[in-house]
Amino acid sequence: MMKAYRASILRFNDAAPQDQCAVYEADGLLVVGPNAAGLQVVVAVGNYASLAPQFPDLDVEHFPGRIISPGFVDMHVHYPQLDVIGSPADGLLPWLENYTFPEEKRFVTPEYSAQAASFFIAELLRNGVTTALAFATSHVASVNALFAEAQHKGLRLITGKCLMDQHVPDGVRDTTEQSLLDTEALINQWHSAGRLGYAITPRFVCSCSAAQLSGAGELAAKYPDVWIQSHVAENFEEIAWVKRLYPTSRSYLSVYEQFGLLRPKAVYAHCIHFDDADRALMHSSGTAAAVCPTSNLFLGSGFFDYAGADQAGFAYGLASDVGGGTSFSPFHTMLAAYYVGRVGQTKQGLSLSPQHLWWQHTAGAAKAIGLQGVAGNLQVGCDADFVVLNPQATPLLARRMARANSLDELLFALIVMGDDRVIEKTVLA
Ligand code: GUN
Ligand code: ZN
């Protein structure tokens, strides 16, 4: 069954310059219909007056005064960390030790995992997130629970069992050989089942033995279509620890290279404390960065170098990193990214444009994780995952919108003042 939606419509042209990549129809029509797999995809999109006559018999749902945007893509989020959001610590390592690992121990049971998975996915949808690359815990039960819930809800979700066989407490530590057997079994069970994807998930260098990283690299070579997700260069104490573990490696990032863990569809969170050689390695290996600004500000980790990333030309996009991150809302994440551009750059402060910020959390994030033309956009052929936004959701937003004289002003006001109240509806293909 084909169906159409009339509203203002935002989509993106990936080939356009960063600050002019948005394509906006003030009075637009989005026509969707089923593909061979039975998913709703975009059949046509454009100006209402010119497109509507081509579809005379279509059922059109009208959202006056509303904006349809591609659903947001969260490139890095931890579903087992719902209950540790807002736990203050002197940086990453004490935060993991005191709050995160104790909470993650609970995911050993399918029941605990299932209730968290259900809340987590509801929260993503309430915030307009329609694609997520998520960490589970080291327990197989946590992975099964999240995949099952995503399948039930029809969400595009990529996750995997955390690999962590050293330097972490009892209850979350796994064992080398079994963790790799479990990973391969989970790949075979879940990868490419409908909208689900598997990510080989070595937590970070410190928590994985060389044998475990090596096994993860072998699986990454055997299953090139599967994702890889991990953390890198987030925090100075973490980096010093990696240096002690691998004194002869050129850098933290190059340890992952050594084990065959940098390639297209590999996504590394943070990527803060990089040098030029690291940035070149990201680019040459086709690896993507998940930029996590609320987490990096909250834990005091540092600032992502936007200018350096653009100069090297490696792919990146935005992520909440809940629970190190402080919010599920893509608006809060985009605003934090803007702050990072202003104050966190080595040279002059940047003013990241609203179009570029929005792209980083939709089409740009999808492109970075290998889903260009599939997710995060509303061009013809993309999955019909979208949000209906109410730009007048609060009195102050309504007042500010009345003065918005351009697309940039409109998008900026939403980024600065928006939150879950703006998300009126989230539609999954
Ligand atoms: N490094 C290793 N594990 C984690 C985690 O759970 N959160 C963050 N922010 N960094 C990590
Ligand atoms: Zn993380």
Side-chain angles (χ1 to χ4, degrees), residues 119-416:
F119 190 98
F120 173 78
I121 287 177
E123 196 62 14
L124 290 179
L125 295 173
R126 231 172 50 70
N127 281 283
V129 175
T130 55
T131 295
L133 186 43
F135 267 58
T137 65
S138 53
H139 313 98
V140 170
S142 77
V143 182
N144 286 328
L146 188 58
F147 272 134
E149 181 66 11
Q151 191 166 55
H152 177 61
K153 290 279 158 38
L155 182 80
R156 183 175 287 285
L157 179 108
I158 301 157
T159 191
K161 186 203 115 58
C162 243
L163 298 168
M164 42 203 290
D165 67 349
Q166 65 173 21
H167 303 313
V168 293
D170 290 349
V172 292
R173 196 173 56 254
D174 59 15
T175 58
T176 316
E177 203 179 332
Q178 191 60 44
S179 69
L180 298 166
L181 291 170
D182 288 343
T183 296
E184 188 159 19
L186 287 165
I187 291 171
N188 290 318
Q189 187 181 348
W190 293 109
H191 184 67
S192 291
R195 312 186 83 199
L196 307 179
Y198 195 84
I200 298 166
T201 308
R203 186 174 198 125
F204 67 145
V205 162
C206 308
S207 73
C208 302
S209 67
Q212 196 177 40
L213 289 173
S214 173
E218 282 166 24
L219 288 171
K222 183 171 174 186
Y223 297 97
D225 185 48
V226 159
W227 281 267
I228 298 166
Q229 60 177 349
S230 189
H231 299 90
V232 73
E234 176 178 7
N235 164 283
F236 289 123
E237 271 135 43
E238 171 210 23
I239 293 166
W241 191 3
V242 172
K243 188 78 196 163
R244 291 197 295 278
L245 293 169
Y246 293 90
T248 60
S249 291
R250 204 203 65 77
S251 71
Y252 187 166
L253 186 69
S254 64
V255 176
Y256 291 119
E257 181 193 25
Q258 207 168 302
F259 289 107
L261 291 166
L262 302 184
R263 63 153 166 73
K265 298 183 90 165
V267 180
Y268 283 78
H270 310 295
C271 302
I272 299 169
H273 307 289
F274 271 0
D275 61 15
D276 285 343
D278 291 325
R279 285 184 276 269
L281 180 55
M282 290 290 287
H283 179 250
S284 64
S285 61
T287 302
V291 182
C292 308
T294 72
S295 169
N296 297 334
L297 294 168
F298 184 74
L299 291 173
S301 306
F303 304 106
F304 182 76
D305 180 351
Y306 275 99
D310 285 342
Q311 208 161 14
F314 68 81
Y316 60 82
L318 287 174
S320 68
D321 193 30
V322 157
T326 53
S327 174
F328 275 93
S329 175
F331 298 105
H332 291 175
T333 302
M334 291 188 284
L335 179 57
Y338 181 75
Y339 294 149
V340 166
R342 290 304 306 144
V343 303
Q345 308 297 301
T346 42
K347 297 181 192 95
Q348 206 187 342
L350 300 170
S351 257
L352 299 174
S353 75
Q355 300 188 27
H356 184 213
L357 290 164
W358 209 289
W359 180 82
Q360 284 183 58
H361 224 341
T362 54
K367 185 178 177 196
I369 62 174
L371 292 175
Q372 186 177 26
V374 178
N377 209 342
L378 292 173
Q379 301 289 11
V380 172
C382 291
D383 290 356
D385 286 338
F386 63 87
V387 287
V388 179
L389 308 179
N390 178 3
Q392 301 182 328
T394 71
L396 183 58
L397 258 173
R399 186 182 168 103
R400 179 66 187 86
M401 283 301 159
R403 295 280 188 89
N405 291 318
S406 66
L407 176 62
D408 279 343
E409 288 188 18
L410 181 151
L411 296 179
F412 234 140
L414 282 168
I415 288 169
V416 172

